[in-house]
Every structure is written in structure tokens, then in C-alpha cells.
Amino acid sequence: MGTSAGTSDQIERLRAEGLAALAASRNESDLLDAKGRFFGKKGAISEILKGIGSLSVEERKVVGSEANRARAELESVFEERLASIREQERVAREGLDRLDVTLPGRCQVPGHRHPISQTMADIISVFRRLGFSVQGGPDVEKDYYNFEALNFPPEHPARDMQDTFYVESDAGDLVLRTHTSPIQIRTMERMRPPVRIIAPGAVYRSDSDITHSPMFHQVEGLAVDRNITMADLKGLLTEFCRMTFGPGKPLRFRPSFFPFTEPSAEVDIQCVICGGGGCRVCKNSGWLEILGAGMVDPAVFGFVDYDPEEFSGFAFGMGVERIAMLRHGISDIRLFFENDIRFLSQF
Amino acid sequence: MKIPYSWLKEFIDTRLSPAQVQESLTMAGVEVSSCRFLGEGFENVVTAKILEKGQHPNADRLSLCRVTDGAVDFDIVCGAKNMSAGDVVALAKVGAMLPNGVEIKKAKIRGKSSEGMLCSEQELKLAEESAGIMILPAETPLGKPLADALGLSDWLLEVEITPNRGDCLSVLGVARELASITGEKVACPETPICEDGPPIGDLVSITVTDKALCPRYSARVVTNVAVAPSPGWMQRRLSLCGIRPINNVVDVTNYLLLELGQPMHAFDLDRLNGPRIDVRAPSEPMAFATLDGSERKIDPGMLLIWDAAGAVAVAGVMGGLNSEVTESTTRVLFESAHFDPASIRRTARRLGLSSESSYRFERGVDPGGTLFAADRAVSLLSRIAEVLPAKGFLDVGGGPARRRKVTFRPARAARIVGTYYSPEKCKEIFERLSFPTETVQPGEWDVSVPSYRFDIEREIDLIEEVARLSGYEGIPTTYPESKAPEFSADDRFVDVTEKACDFLRANGFNQSVNFSFVSGRKWERLGSLLGFDPAGAVRVKNPISEDTTLMRPGLITGLLQNAADNTRRFIEDIRLYEIGKAFGKAYAEGHFEESRLALILSGKRLPSAWSGGPVSVDFYDIKGMVEGLLLHLGAGPLHPVPTNARPFLEDGKAADILANGECIGWFGAVRRELLAEYEIPGPVFYGEIRLQAATATPRPVGIYRPLPKFPPVFRDLACVFPAGVPVGDVLALVRESAPEIEEAVVFDVFTGEKIGKGLKSVGIRMKLQPSDKTLTDADVHSIHTKVVDLLENRFGGRIRTA
């Protein structure tokens, strides 16, 4: 070991060389190499510090502090260079690997629910939230359920309200149900009040033009209990319309006739197209008929053996296509059954 | 039904405007769908007289007219030829906007100015076509608005009458309805008759054999009739209401049908044998010529009107040719009867003959009004023609009108409607309806209902009257008492379909809705391809078209048609599904219906495959979709097995899916011959699921098992099998071969020269999951050997060595 001055020179030289080596490093391994040679655990400066024991206390102080200073400086430059080189490498790497994020991902494009099915599901969901349970029934129906038990006697002109398809059968008079109302009878035959059901389904009438289809869909509702009133019916349907068409759409209840309800009502909503001012869709009346309803006729209770003095109830029914047409601005009912994907993918 | 406002005003002097009448009737349940001003487009059209008619100097076809409205003269260029000086015509002045949309402006036509237009009936929309301009009666005053001159300053109400309100099918009926709303009074016309003729009993006799089908038959006779056209005002009203004027006698009957709702028939008395009338149904089938010239087949039970020699009319439906009023008729019998509604409806339906008359009888004609109508007929005919009415009338089954008594409890009305109606309010409403009331005991009344209100038989009918005439707008909105809803099997089914829709939507499928009826002809023609069983078919008796004769036995034809239609519209990738019923015959209820979910798939696997090129879907895409959906819906475990029971699927590319031993669906590649029928080019894959069967057993609630504490070991093995060995069976065997084998999946299948003819190589990855210790090499080796031995013994499998 030489003098302390010689050691200082050596440290200064190592510092200079170390800085030069760090500056010359082009990548992480060059840097690590330089660190190893000059100021790592086994680097030249560390070696000097290891040999410091042979020096006087004075010299030890001087050399120790010089070496530590040099090592700290190199260490700091190293960290700086390392960060900078890593950043350069990252930029270089990612530059090569850059992806076009606008290219399509690998997955299916979601399909579309049929507007009739969607509208029906929405109606069902509203009434289920209002405490109604779903009931189904057959499309090929007995005359008894479709007409007779709903208080359409044979040879009654009320039967003309619905152009009926008949089914060839050896098992009595079968029809394609003209409405979902037979489900009322089937349900009441099966259970005692309280009854609170909705019955969705396909129905059939012998009629075809831009607003009539030989097959279409209805949702029927029925509630029977002690003390059910027409005011309850009004309240429920008002709530339904608010949930379906949004708030602030006035409703109008107008007397009408259905054989299986009395008193009966037709429910109109203020025209969703013109807002009541009058247009082609509402035939200038400002109102759109959206459902039929009424209090269950005592004659119907007679068919299912409910006592009309004890129980009362209401029923209502609506055409799903009609509501879907109003919601989506569809003017020709036939579009629903063409299943043109360009049509379906609009909803 | 159409009713002129002016006619209504003759029966009720209402203070309501036509628009108010429309609103009031509609809100009381008698819907007035339109209320049209008849003089629409007649503003600035006036009556005028042609003073001179000359030739247009510059046009051969045009004439030059000088016309006057009585105050001012006009020069008019006119293209018509049918007028001459002195004619009264309709002059559209400058500013008129005609019903056909033409606006009249001051114009110069070939150098001559024209200050208006002479109108034809066609231009005024008074007729479909017209030969020249309209010539008005010479006595028409000049300068009058044309609407007034033609009686068109009036409104036409279009009224929709529900089947229960037959009593409203007349001017009188609607007037009564209006009176019950406004409280105004109905005024019936007086029916003065100068009975200067011979007593009616000397001229004709009437019996009614079938009293049940004809409870009342009233008649009057007029003699010395001159059959001629009826006056303009009567013809105009009939035409407005859609009835063609014929002659004064027939027009009177039709006029009263519209006015009183009483269908009447006029017989030529001299053409009646006897002369006598009987009403009865024949006991044997027979033929009869109705006055529309058709020969009708009459069945026993159809009510007829007879004279001494034979049938002369189908009661309440249509008269006969043999007794029709003609121009030479001089003596007329007016029939005004009440027939049983159901009987008339049955007859009209079986004859396929619905008339204004049968329409009203079916809905109920007032038995108390027959005689008044007969009186009014004679009185009205006397007003418009020279006649000599016979003395007296005949009235079989006549007598004081029967009123029905119906119990009414005001408290009951409140219970049904949900609002309080005071007894005074109820009484007032019944008064307006002309329903006198009588208190039987406190809170219970007898209400007496007039004979024309067929719809009022029960208390609930009276409650409806109170509710509707008080106005539904007054009913409060309350909410029914809430009860916890039942969760039904159908609720669960709705949830299942919602889940299915979500799954399929996420997988790129659009939803179709097709008709439940299909073309029976098509299913029969393609019977062997579709697997159609004609004996099990549910057929529509009266289809609307050839395409809707059969209730669909399966959903495939609908979706194939949708695929074909969309392919034609340049849509390349078809992913469609439908949820709907399939129909067939069954023993129990005569037929069965089953909810199915069908899906159809063709084109690319992913909509945008920009790397590696597009990949087309194949058999395993439909399989994956069907199985994935079924698992999503909680069905399982699933066992697909090859099938040849689905002729619409390619043999060897078709499978049935079994679950718990039941077939819950099928899928495969659609038969090429079927695709050719629908002109669909590419391969198409199809699956159909029996929804109820598939979801009959809800997936049980999961019970927790402790998670494994020891690491799993994965082992791959490559094994060569004869090509016919089903990989599914191989995997099932591997899974069962040792309890440690938690999972066995196939990761590779290939064939080729390297493997050998008739052989295939299958790569299987096993996951060994110990439950109580870490597996040693020896454990793994022993399981591996066991699996290899089993595969060799059961399937002739042989481990591939590199």
C-alpha cells in the first residue's frame, strides 16, 4: 500500500475511469459490468476500502471519506444511467410491439332480441314486480275455454268480434285461441282466490293487413280476491302505463264491451307520436287504444264456481305487437314476421 | 254505422255540437270513430245560372260561359259540353279549395280569362265519376252555398256499436243514448195515418206457427200505391248511410231500419197467395230464391215466411224474388216483426248471407217497437206518395210491452266500482235511461228495464250503467291489496327463456318469430326430408292461405326460410334462433303442444376474423352452442348419441342429446337436399331443444366440498384407436378408471399415414387430484398403467411411442 496521497490519486483515477465507463455503457449489462469493476462489492474502490486498515488514523479518515464520496457519486450516476437506459429500451421495445387497438377484438358481436319478445318480456317483468305470477295455456284451445266459459254463448254476435280459426279434430270443438283469456278460466278452475296472474302468449285471428296479423301476441291479466274494485284496476293499469311508456302520459278509461267483463273499459294513452295534438297514427283523436279491461263478469265466476257475492276481480288484456309498434315507431305489423336481420338488428 | 247529425237532431234537440256529441257518446261507451263535416271543401262554391254559352275563340274543345250568382256575373272557361244557357250549376269561385284538392285561382286559358270553375260531381267528390258538370234542379235559388243547396251543411257521425248494444243500431237508439247522457228528451215523430182504405182483415190474414222463433209479427197494408223513386232528401240520407235507393216503398223500409232500428219487409200483396202469411220453419230441406237472385238451400229449422202456396221470405234475413215489390205493385204489406236473435244468426251464418236486417235481428230488435214502425212506415209513405192505407193493423203476439225487473243495490255498485254513488245519483241516472225504480227494502231497488235494452238482465248490468254514465274519469285510482305472489312453473319457464335469450344474444344470435302455422302442402311434399307424419298433424280447418294450413310439427321450416330470405339479402353469417311451440296429435287431450328452442347457424365462426383468415362454422360449433346453452339452463348431464331419427339432418352428422334417459334435443348438419329446396348454398347447422324436458329438473343447489390440499398432477397420453371408437366413450372410461382422475380432456385428434389406415390418434390430458396425500411417481405410474390397460382392452387402444 502506498501513501495516502497516492491512494487519493488512485481514487480520483478510479472515479474518472468509472464515470467514463458508465458514460460509455450502452446497455444494462455494460453498466453492471462497469459497476462491478469500479464500485461494486468486489470493485476497485471497495478493494481500496478493504485495505484501509494499514493506514494511519488520519489517513484512514481522509482516504475513507474520499473513497466513499467517489463510490456514492458513481452509484448515483449509475442509477441515473440505469433508469435512462431502461427507459430507452422500453421505448425501443414497445415501439416494435405497438398494437393497433382499433382492430376488432376476438368475440361475437351480440345479437338482437326480437322486438315482440322484448316487449313481452318487459310487460311481464312490470307485472311480476307488481305481484303477478305467470300462467300459460294451450294455443289449440277448446271452444269451451275460448268462448263459452268466457260468456260468449253459442250463436252470440259477440263471437263476430273475433274471426276464429278452427282446428280439425275428433275430440270436440277446437279453435286456435283468439285471445289469451281462456287462461283466466283454466287458472280459476285450478285454484281458489286470491288469484293474481298474467298470461302471455300467441293468439290467432283470421285477419291480415298492415295492422292485423293472423298470429299475434297478447298479455292477459287477472286478479280475483275479496274486495277487488274497478278503482284498483285503474290504479294498477295507470302504474303499468307509467312503467311502460314513462311518466306524464295521460290515460283515458272509456266504457266498452267484452262478454267476460262488466263493467268493461277500453284504455287509451295520449298519443305517443303527436303528444295528443292529432296525427295519422292516432287518426287525429290524440289518443291511442292500448288495452281492454274490466271487472270479471259474474257469469264467468259461475263457470268456475266462484261466488260473485264473495269475490270480485278484474281482467285486462293487451296486444304486444301494438305496444311494440308504438314504442319503436313500426308502421307495418308484417315486418315482425319477416325476420329480416336488417330489421331485427335495429332493436 | 253512419248517422247524419241532422237526422239525430230530429229525435233529440240536443244543445251539443257534433264534436261534443262525438266526445260524449264515446266517453259513455258508444264510440264515434269519426265526425265529418259533409260540406268540406264546398266553401266558395255557390249555385249559379248560365246566362250565355259561347265557343272559345282559340280552342275547339272549350266553351266560354257567362254565369251569374244572382248578384255578380262571371266569365268562365269550361271544358264540359253537357250544359246550356239557363242551367243552374255549381260555381267554384276564386279561392275555393275543392274536396279533390284543386285550388281555384283566377286564370287565363288560351287567351281568355276565367273567374272560377263550373264543377262536376266527381270534382266535388259527390260521385266516383261524372260525364260532365253537375246540373242542379232549375228551381234551385242562386247564390246559395252549394252545401246548403245539397243539404250538406251537415255532419256524418260514424258510430261503432258493440255487440251488446243492438238497441243503438238506429238514429232513435243513439238519440236515446245521448238523452241518457245529457238528460235531454227524445221526441218520437207523430204517425198520422188516414185509414181510408178497406179493413186490413179483409185483405190478408196472418198466423205465426213458430211462436218461439217469432214472438211478435205486426203488419200494415197500403193500397193504391204508385211505385216511384223516393224524394231527394230520403235518397240522400239513405246514400249517406250506405244504402242504395231503390223505390219509394223499399226506401221507406230501409229508412225506418236506419231510423228506428226495426228491419221491415215490403211484400207485394197481390203476389202473395191466399193472401195469407204464416211464419214457420220447414221440416224438410228445400230451395228458395232470395231477391238478390240467388237460389238458397234452406235447412229445417231456418225460419221462413210463407203464403198459401209456399215460402216468400227468409225471416229477418232476406225477402224472396216471388213477392218482391216492383214498379207495377199497387198494394203493399209492411212486415214489422221480432224474431229470435239466435235463430236469425244461425240462418244468416249457414246461408253465408248477412244483411242490414239480419245484423240487427241478431243483436236484438225491440219487440215493443214493431207496431210503431209499421205505423211510421205507412205514415211516411203517405207523406211522399199518394196511397190509400188500409184500416187497422195486424199484430200477432202484440200487447203491452214487457218490462224486465232487475234488482239493484247502490252499496253493491260501490263495492264493485270502488267509489260511492249516492242513491240520488243512481236514481237520476236511471231516470235519464227511462228505467223507473221502486224501493223493495232499504238499500234494494227494483229497476224496470224497457224492452229494447236486451243487455240489461242482471244487477251488474245496472252497475255498469251507473258507472259509465257517471263517467269513468270519476273513478279513483287505488291499488289492490298486496299479497306475496306465487312462483309458478310458468314463472320458472319465463326465467328459463330469458336466460336462453341472454345466452344466445351474447353468442351473436338474432331472434326470429315465425307463425305457428306452416304450409301443409310444403310439409307433405318434403315429408320424407322433414320426417313428417301426416297422421299426427294438427290442421287448421279454415286457413287464411295455403301457407297456414298446418300447426307446425317442428321449428325447422321457419328458420330455414328465414336463413334463405336473409341469404338472398346478402347477409353472409346466419345466426338465428326461435322459441315457440311445436304441435302434434296425442291421445289424452287430442293434441299436444311443446315449447321448443331452435337455432340455425351458418357462415363464419367469428364476425371479423382478420388474422389467419375466416373460419367457417362446422358441426362442432352447433354442438358446442347447443350443449353450452343446455348447461347454461341447468340441464345435464348431457349424453349426445348418434341418431338417424332426424331425416332433416345429414346421416353421420346428427346427434340426439339424452339427459336422464330422455331425449331433450337434437342437432347436426342440415340435409343437403333440404338446403337445395330452400336455395341456401353453404353448409347449415341446426339444433332444436325441447325446453320443458330439458329444464324439468332444476339444477340442485351446490353443496360445498372442501378444496383439495394437495397439488394435482397432469399427465398426457397419446393413444391410437380404430377410427370408429367414439372419443366421448374413451374420455368417459378414463374418468371412471381411477378415483384420482378428476378430469380427462381431449387435446388432439388426428389421422394420417403416420398413424395408419383406419386408425386415429387421440391425445388425452388427465388431471390427477389426490384427496389425502401428495401423489408419488409410483402412484402416478400405476394409474397411468391402469388407464392404458383399460383403453387397450376396451377399445383396442395402443399407446403411441414417439
Side-chain angles (χ1 to χ4, degrees):
Chain A
M1 196 41 62
T3 62
S4 80
T7 311
S8 294
D9 288 349
Q10 201 183 350
I11 290 170
E12 178 51 32
R13 189 170 45 79
L14 285 173
R15 188 190 75 91
E17 282 175 15
L19 285 174
L22 287 174
S25 295
R26 285 290 151 258
N27 55 42
E28 205 171 323
S29 84
D30 288 356
L31 271 182
L32 288 171
D33 187 52
K35 177 177 179 174
R37 274 194 291 135
F38 296 99
F39 57 97
K41 271 190 186 130
K42 287 177 181 160
I45 295 179
S46 301
E47 290 305 318
I48 289 174
L49 282 169
K50 275 180 201 156
I52 210 163
S54 61
L55 299 178
S56 66
V57 177
E58 272 311 290
E59 282 174 330
R60 211 185 289 170
K61 247 187 202 162
V62 174
V63 172
S65 108
E66 281 178 353
N68 277 328
R69 203 166 48 236
R71 191 164 63 177
E73 183 186 356
L74 284 165
E75 195 70 59
S76 131
V77 171
F78 168 83
E79 288 299 335
E80 228 168 78
R81 283 291 294 153
L82 183 64
S84 133
I85 281 177
R86 281 188 174 163
E87 175 62 16
Q88 276 168 28
E89 280 178 353
R90 189 187 64 77
V91 168
R93 188 180 66 239
E94 289 181 358
L96 288 177
D97 269 1
R98 193 156 284 273
L99 296 183
D100 179 355
V101 299
T102 65
L103 272 170
R106 229 165 260 119
C107 87
Q108 285 297 342
V109 173
H112 300 268
R113 189 90 183 254
H114 195 287
I116 294 177
S117 163
Q118 186 63 61
T119 303
M120 188 124 121
D122 293 346
I123 296 170
I124 291 173
S125 136
V126 167
F127 283 110
R128 283 176 79 179
R129 268 180 283 160
L130 295 172
F132 284 69
S133 138
V134 179
Q135 288 292 328
D139 293 27
V140 177
E141 186 54 282
K142 292 177 174 160
D143 181 276
Y144 175 79
Y145 288 112
N146 194 74
F147 290 122
E148 208 175 325
L150 287 164
N151 198 28
F152 290 78
E155 299 304 343
H156 194 278
R159 291 196 175 209
D160 293 349
M161 293 165 86
Q162 303 174 355
D163 290 327
T164 310
F165 285 117
Y166 296 89
V167 172
E168 289 180 5
S169 159
D170 315 321
D173 285 347
L174 289 182
V175 302
L176 295 184
R177 65 176 173 203
T178 56
H179 46 187
T180 39
S181 311
I183 299 171
Q184 290 185 26
I185 306 297
R186 287 180 173 271
T187 303
M188 288 191 281
E189 274 186 351
R190 214 172 41 236
M191 59 197 276
R192 303 291 303 167
V195 171
R196 197 187 277 218
I197 59 144
I198 40 161
V203 300
Y204 308 85
R205 289 184 199 175
S206 182
D207 207 348
S208 184
D209 59 38
I210 73 161
T211 53
H212 295 90
S213 168
M215 181 183 98
F216 59 103
H217 297 79
Q218 283 188 340
V219 176
E220 185 91 2
L222 172 73
V224 183
D225 205 344
R226 291 184 178 85
N227 303 320
I228 294 247
T229 67
M230 199 157 169
D232 293 338
L233 171 66
K234 238 181 123 171
L236 181 84
L237 293 179
T238 304
E239 187 60 16
F240 163 73
C241 289
R242 195 186 61 79
M243 289 168 88
T244 303
F245 294 101
K249 299 266 185 321
L251 289 186
R252 183 172 89 163
F253 288 72
R254 183 159 55 72
S256 188
F257 168 74
F258 306 104
F260 44 99
T261 53
E262 186 158 0
S264 300
E266 211 100 61
V267 183
D268 302 334
I269 188 167
Q270 191 176 73
C271 182
V272 293
I273 311 290
C274 63
C279 67
R280 208 170 50 87
V281 176
C282 63
K283 292 181 188 127
N284 281 319
S285 70
W287 295 96
L288 293 167
E289 193 180 310
I290 49 160
L291 49 83
M295 301 303 291
V296 179
D297 194 293
V300 172
F301 284 150
F303 281 97
V304 297
D305 217 14
Y306 283 14
D307 178 2
E309 288 290 319
E310 181 179 2
F311 298 111
S312 55
F314 60 69
F316 56 86
M318 64 194 90
V320 178
E321 278 78 357
R322 170 136 181 101
I323 291 177
M325 287 168 89
L326 293 177
R327 272 174 121 192
H328 299 293
I330 297 165
S331 52
D332 187 340
I333 198 170
R334 290 169 295 203
L335 280 166
F336 286 125
F337 303 99
E338 283 168 9
N339 299 306
D340 186 331
I341 289 176
R342 297 167 305 173
F343 170 79
L344 296 176
S345 38
Q346 294 178 19
F347 309 102
Chain B
M1 185 183 55
K2 297 186 174 82
I3 296 185
Y5 178 71
S6 61
W7 203 345
L8 192 62
K9 283 277 268 189
E10 286 176 16
F11 280 78
I12 178 167
D13 187 19
T14 180
R15 58 182 187 277
L16 301 189
S17 68
Q20 287 169 325
V21 167
Q22 177 181 26
E23 172 75 10
S24 309
L25 286 173
T26 298
M27 291 315 286
V30 177
E31 188 183 350
V32 181
S33 57
S34 79
C35 170
R36 186 166 65 84
F37 180 57
L38 293 169
E40 191 80 60
F42 288 14
E43 298 87 353
N44 285 321
V45 183
V46 298
T47 55
K49 188 185 221 157
I50 301 180
L51 299 172
E52 297 162 27
K53 178 185 166 191
Q55 181 62 42
H56 190 296
N58 306 323
D60 291 349
R61 293 172 156 213
L62 298 178
S63 47
L64 216 50
C65 296
R66 185 139 187 93
V67 303
T68 178
D69 67 1
V72 184
D73 293 356
F74 302 85
D75 286 320
I76 308 285
V77 176
C78 186
K81 298 248 173 286
N82 65 320
M83 69 289 189
S84 37
D87 281 346
V88 178
V89 293
L91 168 67
K93 296 204 268 192
V94 172
M97 181 73 114
L98 296 186
N100 67 356
V102 171
E103 194 186 341
I104 305 301
K105 295 180 191 143
K106 197 160 187 165
K108 225 171 197 158
I109 300 169
R110 297 260 177 141
K112 286 285 170 189
S113 65
S114 184
E115 300 165 300
M117 184 173 103
L118 306 185
C119 304
S120 71
E121 277 160 310
Q122 189 190 3
E123 284 154 345
L124 295 168
K125 285 218 163 164
L126 293 169
E128 290 293 312
E129 49 191 81
S130 43
I133 62 163
M134 180 160 81
I135 310 291
L136 295 163
E139 67 275 13
T140 310
L142 300 187
K144 257 186 106 170
L146 182 69
D148 290 349
L150 294 179
L152 293 178
S153 289
D154 197 357
W155 288 260
L156 194 62
L157 306 173
E158 177 93 48
V159 190
E160 314 284 340
I161 306 293
T162 52
N164 59 324
R165 293 304 302 274
D167 65 293
C168 284
L169 286 167
S170 64
V171 178
L172 170 64
V174 173
R176 279 183 186 135
E177 187 61 26
L178 193 58
S180 68
I181 300 165
T182 63
E184 292 160 328
K185 291 277 165 272
V186 170
C188 272
E190 297 290 317
T191 57
I193 301 173
C194 298
E195 295 178 324
D196 294 336
I200 188 167
D202 295 352
L203 302 175
V204 66
S205 69
I206 294 175
T207 55
V208 174
T209 304
D210 268 322
K211 288 205 167 59
L213 301 185
C214 175
R216 190 170 184 188
Y217 195 104
S218 315
R220 270 200 178 260
V221 168
V222 288
T223 64
N224 294 26
V225 180
V227 174
S230 56
W233 62 267
M234 184 178 273
Q235 292 199 20
R236 209 153 40 232
R237 277 193 173 165
L238 291 175
S239 302
L240 275 176
C241 298
I243 291 184
R244 192 167 51 91
I246 294 174
N247 59 47
N248 48 9
V249 174
V250 174
D251 289 356
V252 160
T253 63
N254 284 330
Y255 190 86
L256 292 185
L257 172 130
L258 295 171
E259 185 180 79
L260 304 178
Q262 171 69 57
M264 300 182 75
H265 187 64
F267 292 101
D268 183 336
L269 188 60
D270 294 302
R271 297 175 73 190
L272 290 179
N273 293 292
R276 64 182 206 80
I277 289 282
D278 186 28
V279 188
R280 65 173 195 275
S283 49
E284 297 291 324
M286 57 180 278
F288 179 68
T290 44
L291 51 72
D292 58 355
S294 305
E295 185 83 0
R296 307 278 174 179
K297 215 177 126 285
I298 303 295
D299 294 330
M302 292 184 178
L303 194 64
L304 299 181
I305 312 296
W306 306 74
D307 66 7
V312 291
V314 182
V317 181
M318 195 174 272
L321 264 183
N322 54 9
S323 57
E324 188 188 8
V325 169
T326 65
E327 276 170 31
S328 52
T329 299
T330 60
R331 299 194 304 161
V332 172
L333 173 105
F334 284 113
E335 166 199 287
S336 178
H338 172 71
F339 299 114
D340 173 62
S343 154
I344 297 294
R345 181 176 154 86
R346 215 163 23 236
T347 302
R349 263 167 35 111
R350 263 194 279 166
L351 292 179
L353 183 64
S354 179
S355 59
E356 291 279 351
S357 160
S358 67
Y359 190 83
R360 283 171 176 75
F361 278 123
E362 282 176 23
R363 282 157 180 75
V365 164
D366 181 11
T370 56
L371 195 57
F372 176 73
D375 290 352
R376 170 102 171 116
V378 174
S379 162
L380 194 56
L381 186 61
S382 312
R383 243 178 75 198
I384 64 170
E386 288 286 321
V387 293
L388 189 59
K391 201 178 304 301
F393 54 87
L394 295 172
D395 190 14
V396 181
R402 285 160 292 262
R403 280 181 164 260
R404 203 178 294 117
K405 289 220 160 137
V406 181
T407 302
F408 177 80
R409 295 163 292 172
R412 176 86 184 147
R415 258 191 73 192
I416 295 289
V417 183
T419 189
Y420 173 73
Y421 297 112
S422 69
E424 296 72 33
K425 171 90 183 162
C426 297
K427 276 223 166 65
E428 186 217 322
I429 286 170
F430 292 140
E431 251 161 51
R432 280 192 264 148
L433 284 163
S434 310
F435 293 3
T437 55
E438 197 183 314
T439 305
V440 179
Q441 54 176 335
E444 186 179 327
W445 308 349
D446 262 351
V447 179
S448 168
V449 181
S451 56
Y452 50 83
R453 287 302 298 269
F454 286 87
D455 58 321
I456 310 284
E457 288 179 311
R458 306 163 302 166
E459 185 177 35
I460 193 72
D461 304 323
L462 292 172
I463 293 173
E464 179 173 57
E465 294 300 292
V466 171
R468 73 180 182 92
L469 291 172
S470 305
Y472 281 1
E473 67 278 5
I475 300 174
T477 55
T478 56
Y479 197 73
E481 206 179 303
S482 197
K483 301 246 161 67
E486 151 199 56
F487 188 75
S488 68
D490 292 316
D491 277 304
R492 205 172 79 76
F493 185 72
V494 166
D495 292 345
V496 163
T497 57
E498 284 300 304
K499 255 176 142 167
C501 288
D502 285 348
F503 180 90
L504 291 166
R505 182 169 133 70
N507 280 288
F509 282 81
N510 287 304
Q511 187 180 17
S512 275
V513 175
N514 286 295
F515 286 161
S516 310
F517 21 51
V518 291
S519 162
R521 192 185 276 176
K522 182 171 231 166
W523 276 74
E524 246 137 58
R525 188 166 57 76
L526 304 177
S528 62
L529 284 174
L530 294 170
F532 177 52
D533 166 25
V538 177
R539 293 173 202 273
V540 180
K541 256 192 216 166
N542 55 334
I544 203 164
S545 77
E546 187 57 47
D547 295 332
T548 60
T549 54
L550 174 72
M551 297 310 285
R552 58 183 175 189
L555 274 55
I556 188 164
T557 50
L559 285 179
L560 278 174
Q561 189 63 54
N562 300 155
D565 292 345
N566 280 296
T567 304
R568 254 202 333 275
R569 295 170 194 131
F570 306 102
I571 289 167
E572 292 170 336
D573 302 327
I574 306 286
R575 277 172 187 254
L576 287 169
Y577 74 100
E578 175 169 16
I579 298 173
K581 284 179 176 175
F583 300 80
K585 274 200 179 141
Y587 294 106
E589 280 253 313
H591 80 284
F592 74 85
E593 307 182 357
E594 182 174 272
S595 290
R596 302 255 179 99
L597 186 154
L599 51 166
I600 198 162
L601 177 61
S602 80
K604 293 191 293 295
R605 184 171 293 161
L606 283 174
S608 53
W610 46 269
S611 90
V615 181
S616 295
V617 292
D618 63 23
F619 176 85
Y620 295 101
D621 288 284
I622 190 74
K623 179 174 193 237
M625 204 53 70
V626 169
E627 289 187 334
L629 173 61
L630 282 169
L631 292 174
H632 184 71
L633 298 181
L638 308 175
H639 300 287
V641 294
T643 182
N644 53 15
R646 316 287 162 206
F648 44 88
L649 300 177
E650 289 269 318
D651 200 17
K653 292 176 185 160
D656 278 354
I657 308 170
L658 308 182
N660 303 316
E662 194 182 0
C663 174
I664 60 168
W666 43 87
F667 59 85
V670 177
R671 267 280 279 276
R672 235 173 267 128
E673 293 88 333
L674 206 48
L675 295 181
E677 274 296 330
Y678 283 89
E679 299 176 22
I680 310 175
V684 172
F685 301 91
Y686 178 79
E688 191 164 322
I689 292 170
R690 302 175 57 218
L691 273 176
Q692 260 111 0
T695 58
T697 329
R699 183 162 42 198
V701 171
I703 302 297
Y704 166 75
R705 276 170 290 117
L707 299 175
K709 290 190 180 67
F710 303 93
V713 175
F714 292 92
R715 263 303 145 93
D716 289 357
L717 57 88
C719 197
V720 175
F721 295 99
V725 169
V727 173
D729 294 1
V730 170
L731 293 176
L733 181 67
V734 173
R735 281 185 203 114
E736 286 163 17
S737 52
E740 291 85 356
I741 301 180
E742 190 186 75
E743 220 173 85
V745 294
V746 57
F747 64 84
D748 190 25
V749 177
F750 72 96
T751 55
E753 255 174 59
K754 239 173 90 185
I755 303 302
K757 221 171 171 209
L759 298 173
K760 66 181 170 192
S761 167
V762 180
I764 298 167
R765 164 161 291 192
M766 302 183 290
K767 181 183 180 190
L768 312 180
Q769 178 62 62
S771 57
D772 52 355
K773 60 170 193 166
T774 301
L775 289 176
T776 63
D777 282 354
D779 295 332
V780 173
H781 183 74
S782 128
I783 294 168
H784 187 268
T785 311
K786 195 170 156 196
V787 169
V788 169
D789 286 351
L790 271 171
L791 290 180
E792 185 170 350
N793 293 337
R794 192 77 62 83
F795 297 115
R798 161 176 68 75
I799 287 298
R800 258 183 82 212
T801 42

